[in-house]
Amino acid sequence: MRSLVFYIVSILVGAALFGFARWLGNDYLFFAGYTVLQFIVLATAWNILGGYCGYVNFGSAAFFAAGAYSSVALHKLAAGIDRYVPESLAGLAHTILPLPIPVLIVIGGIVAGLIGLGTGYLTLRLRGAFFAIATLALAVVLQTLIVNWDFVGGSRGAYIIRPSEVPIIGSYIQYLFLIMLVLSILAIIAARAIEQSRLGYGFATIRDDETAAEACGVPTLRLKLIATTLSGALMGMAGAPFPYYIGYLEPGSAFGLAYTVNSIAMPMIGGTTSWVGPLVGALLLGTLQQIATVTISSAVNLLIVGLLLVGFVIVAPKGIVGLVQDFMRERGPEGSEPTWRTRLATFANMRPGAR
Amino acid sequence: MSFELLINALIAGVLLGGFYAAVTVGVSISFGILDIVNIAHPAFIILGSYIAYIVNQTLGIDPILTAILALPAFYLLGSMIYQVYYASFEKRGQDSLRGLAFFFGLLFVTEVMLILVFGVDYRYVQAAYIDKTWHFGFADIPFRMLVPCVISLLMLGLLQLYLSRTFTGRAIMAVSQDQLALRLMSADPARIKRIAFSISIATAAIAGAFLIVIQPVEPSVGREYIGRVFAICVLGGLQSLPGTVIAAMLLGILESVTATFYGPSWAPAVSFGVLLLTLAFRPAGLLGR
């Protein structure tokens, strides 16, 4: 019942946001808003693995770029379809091509999810730090592969010519904004659902004490693989529409360090234990950066993000959400914070797939 | 012809490996021995490069000599960073997730600061030996590779002596294994860790000077070294310095051969391949137990 209310409220908020932006009618608002929404998806995705399981992913940019480049590859494939398939099939192909963006998002998600699964499978059986390091290296290697892959433009980059109009909605940037809005709402709903499900309690036992969880019979490896796949897939989904947004994609921008830093900094600053944290962090930092990029410079705004990350990690490890919670607890009656034991008990008592 | 290419690639690989050993030794100490996942190490190496660059441009002092003079400053920097890390993460017992984010933030802040101050132009240094090359028949030995390689091996030898012969050195090797035993030997684990971490940061000054002798440097070059450094560290068996040297040579040769026969744009992928294969098949490393 509470979930139903949550779904309705989030859809209403989304609709209100879109309606308000249209009412203002400024295209720049949609451009800037798209970036902030994209960061909401990235931060939420990072938090599924980083916040819930306690495994740090430094390769957000790699997963993001995997989604973006799978779109580029499909776009190029569609553009040259007559050369690759016999004429009889080309007619059929033209009826479904070019692929609509929601389909590209699904494909980008699958590609990035598989990469996540593969990386996780090779490194997650070891200590947590190895996964973090492997994801760092993953970004460098995927970038090397893309730079050497001429079909998607190599180091020169690829131009994507996007249609200027779409039916019903009108301007293309509004269409992209709407897609990203829907995606971010879906991401938040998914994160919240995970948090309250058996899966989420399993993740939390891993974060709190992995060895003990393993000893108590929590299938840690399987849970971690689910988390890496989900998290990677969501990042890829955030990246899939990106080539259409930017119009010209080159490896340097798709693998930009800004994505990695932001998708770590936003949940860390917002608070990592619930879906609210990444949302708050992304809204705050994303908006701040949009303002700073326009008023100061893009290098300075990255410096601000870095310093905020270091500062929050040292001073306020629970993020803004944690600060607010502590503040409320001081005022109100003593709340009962779930301990590791209660989480494990909840995990054990819930039927698989239960809420 | 291709035989000559192979020999030259092997020589270049060994020389490159010597340099990689100097780059990695800091991480072997911090990550391998102390269990502090200092992913910001490459950023400190770049910082070392820029210090060597500034002194070389203004005073004309040799970059490697500059690095040796800068050792105390880097040692102090390491002490300060460890103090913050210890007080904020190790003492509170939450060093894994937030410690990683802390070092990642440091990496990022250092890089952006260097970009803000120096821009993204490639910088290089001048020294008498940089343009010289020895020719043995068809084999070439460039001095800009040989000098860093020799000094690096010397540095690792000294560190190995320090770690295996002195009391503090042995305490450093023991600190991650049994802190209680260390306390019983009247050595404070936090102090020992601070000394070791400071040494690891100090090696970044020297590695940075090597880097700018070998190739022109810009602030984001450091990122390429993250995968490489950890690949070598893991392959070498984490806490063994001889293992680090062997693994560094191996990776140097692999990269140099790949660059010679498949083109330099593929070289960065080698380290990741090595890292993943090591983690999948022999996580204890070459010389690990």
Side-chain angles (χ1 to χ4, degrees):
Chain A
M1 195 58 211
R2 280 186 62 190
S3 292
L4 194 68
V5 173
F6 182 77
Y7 299 154
I8 293 169
V9 168
S10 43
I11 289 167
L12 283 180
V13 168
L17 207 63
F18 187 65
F20 181 65
R22 266 190 89 116
W23 178 70
L24 286 178
N26 185 347
D27 257 5
Y28 177 74
L29 205 64
F30 286 99
F31 265 106
Y34 176 90
T35 315
V36 176
L37 289 171
Q38 175 181 288
F39 277 130
I40 292 180
V41 181
L42 275 176
T44 307
W46 186 90
N47 203 42
I48 289 177
L49 184 65
Y52 299 170
C53 285
Y55 275 79
V56 184
N57 178 359
F58 287 118
S60 311
F63 293 102
F64 179 83
Y69 267 98
S70 64
S71 287
V72 172
L74 287 168
H75 184 87
K76 296 265 176 187
L77 204 62
I81 191 76
D82 296 324
R83 268 181 286 151
Y84 305 117
V85 298
E87 224 164 278
S88 51
L89 282 176
L92 185 71
H94 275 295
T95 57
I96 55 163
L97 292 172
L99 290 171
I101 289 184
V103 177
L104 290 177
I105 289 181
V106 172
I107 296 173
I110 293 172
V111 170
L114 285 178
I115 293 175
L117 182 66
T119 318
Y121 189 75
L122 284 179
T123 54
L124 282 177
R125 282 166 297 167
L126 303 160
R127 275 191 310 169
F130 287 115
F131 175 76
I133 294 158
T135 53
L136 258 179
L138 176 72
V140 175
V141 173
L142 266 188
Q143 190 169 359
T144 312
L145 290 180
I146 296 292
V147 164
N148 285 293
W149 192 16
D150 277 334
F151 182 67
V152 291
S155 54
R156 282 169 289 114
Y159 285 95
I160 301 286
I161 296 158
R162 61 178 193 210
S164 58
E165 297 272 305
V166 277
I168 305 168
I169 296 163
S171 116
Y172 199 75
I173 184 67
Q174 297 193 10
Y175 172 58
L176 285 175
F177 179 86
L178 184 64
I179 284 182
M180 206 32 101
L181 187 65
V182 171
L183 190 61
S184 54
I185 290 174
L186 286 179
I188 288 170
I189 287 178
R192 183 176 172 277
I194 290 172
E195 209 176 299
Q196 294 172 348
S197 70
R198 185 180 148 91
L199 199 60
Y201 282 98
F203 288 169
T205 61
I206 294 176
R207 176 187 63 210
D208 294 343
D209 193 333
E210 185 166 346
T211 325
E214 177 87 55
C216 293
V218 178
T220 52
L221 180 63
R222 197 185 337 146
L223 287 180
K224 284 188 288 184
L225 287 179
I226 292 173
T228 39
T229 312
L230 276 178
S231 166
L234 261 180
M235 287 177 184
M237 290 165 108
F242 186 64
Y244 291 89
Y245 169 77
I246 196 102
Y248 164 68
L249 189 70
E250 49 109 16
S253 72
F255 285 90
L257 199 59
Y259 297 113
T260 305
V261 172
N262 275 311
S263 55
I264 296 172
M266 285 164 176
M268 284 279 182
I269 289 170
T272 52
T273 45
S274 80
W275 59 272
V276 188
L279 178 65
V280 170
L283 281 177
L284 209 69
L285 270 188
T287 319
L288 185 74
Q289 283 181 71
Q290 286 302 321
I291 296 168
T293 309
V294 177
T295 52
I296 316 171
S297 84
S298 59
V300 171
N301 97 52
L302 287 180
L303 184 66
I304 294 172
V305 176
L307 289 174
L308 274 178
L309 172 64
V310 174
F312 261 89
V313 166
I314 293 174
V315 180
K318 285 188 201 156
I320 293 172
V321 171
L323 286 180
V324 172
Q325 274 172 352
D326 287 349
F327 185 72
M328 304 282 269
R329 200 165 296 139
E330 254 168 48
R331 300 272 164 123
E334 196 65 29
S336 60
E337 201 171 329
T339 60
W340 187 80
R341 268 167 165 281
T342 57
R343 283 203 192 104
L344 185 73
T346 320
F347 175 78
N349 288 332
M350 286 168 110
R351 275 175 295 107
R355 265 296 138 74
Chain B
M1 184 57 205
S2 98
F3 174 72
E4 290 175 13
L5 267 180
L6 184 67
I7 293 291
N8 268 318
L10 285 180
I11 293 174
V14 169
L15 294 176
L16 197 62
F19 161 63
Y20 283 171
V23 175
T24 312
V25 66
V27 172
S28 290
I29 295 173
S30 58
F31 178 52
I33 299 177
L34 304 179
D35 229 1
I36 299 172
V37 193
N38 177 15
I39 50 172
H41 196 74
F44 297 122
I45 292 176
I46 303 295
L47 190 67
S49 291
Y50 272 90
I51 287 172
Y53 161 76
I54 297 167
V55 175
N56 185 265
Q57 287 294 307
T58 51
L59 303 173
I61 301 177
D62 181 85
I64 296 175
L65 189 67
T66 309
I68 293 170
L69 294 177
L71 280 180
F74 270 70
Y75 186 90
L76 213 65
L77 177 72
S79 294
M80 282 175 352
I81 292 171
Y82 180 75
Q83 212 55 45
V84 173
Y85 177 78
Y86 174 73
S88 336
F89 309 107
E90 270 193 349
K91 224 157 118 187
R92 292 191 213 152
Q94 41 174 249
D95 35 342
S96 56
L97 175 82
R98 292 175 203 291
L100 268 172
F102 169 70
F103 281 115
F104 185 73
L106 278 189
L107 166 84
F108 189 67
V109 168
T110 314
E111 188 181 315
V112 176
M113 293 252 230
L114 284 174
I115 288 178
L116 282 177
V117 177
F118 294 99
V120 289
D121 303 329
Y122 278 94
R123 311 281 175 170
Y124 53 89
V125 288
Q126 267 121 26
Y129 48 83
I130 283 179
D131 296 326
K132 282 195 190 133
T133 305
W134 263 343
H135 300 282
F136 292 106
F138 55 78
D140 294 335
I141 300 182
F143 267 47
R144 69 182 170 84
M145 303 290 294
L146 184 66
V147 172
C149 179
V150 170
I151 300 177
S152 152
L153 292 181
L154 204 69
M155 176 171 83
L156 264 91
L158 283 176
L159 274 174
Q160 176 68 14
L161 275 181
Y162 174 72
L163 287 178
S164 56
R165 294 293 153 84
T166 63
F167 178 79
T168 321
R170 286 179 181 171
I172 289 172
M173 295 300 285
V175 73
S176 64
Q177 291 171 3
D178 197 337
Q179 302 214 351
L180 184 66
L182 209 61
R183 278 213 185 85
L184 295 175
M185 302 287 291
S186 80
D188 175 14
R191 187 179 143 263
I192 297 292
K193 279 187 144 183
R194 190 176 68 234
I195 292 174
F197 190 79
S198 308
I199 292 175
S200 87
I201 297 294
T203 63
I206 307 237
F210 292 165
L211 178 64
I212 202 163
V213 165
I214 288 175
Q215 63 167 77
V217 169
E218 57 108 7
S220 66
V221 167
R223 255 181 274 157
E224 292 172 21
Y225 281 87
I226 299 174
R228 216 170 260 160
V229 158
F230 281 93
I232 295 170
C233 183
V234 173
L235 187 65
L238 289 177
Q239 43 187 303
S240 136
L241 294 197
T244 301
V245 175
I246 295 171
M249 297 275 175
L250 214 62
L251 194 76
I253 291 170
L254 269 177
E255 276 193 7
S256 154
V257 170
T258 312
T260 309
F261 292 100
Y262 298 97
S265 59
W266 283 104
V270 173
S271 59
F272 182 72
V274 169
L275 178 65
L276 272 192
L277 288 178
T278 318
L279 289 179
F281 295 110
R282 190 157 169 72
L286 287 177
L287 296 190
R289 274 153 296 179

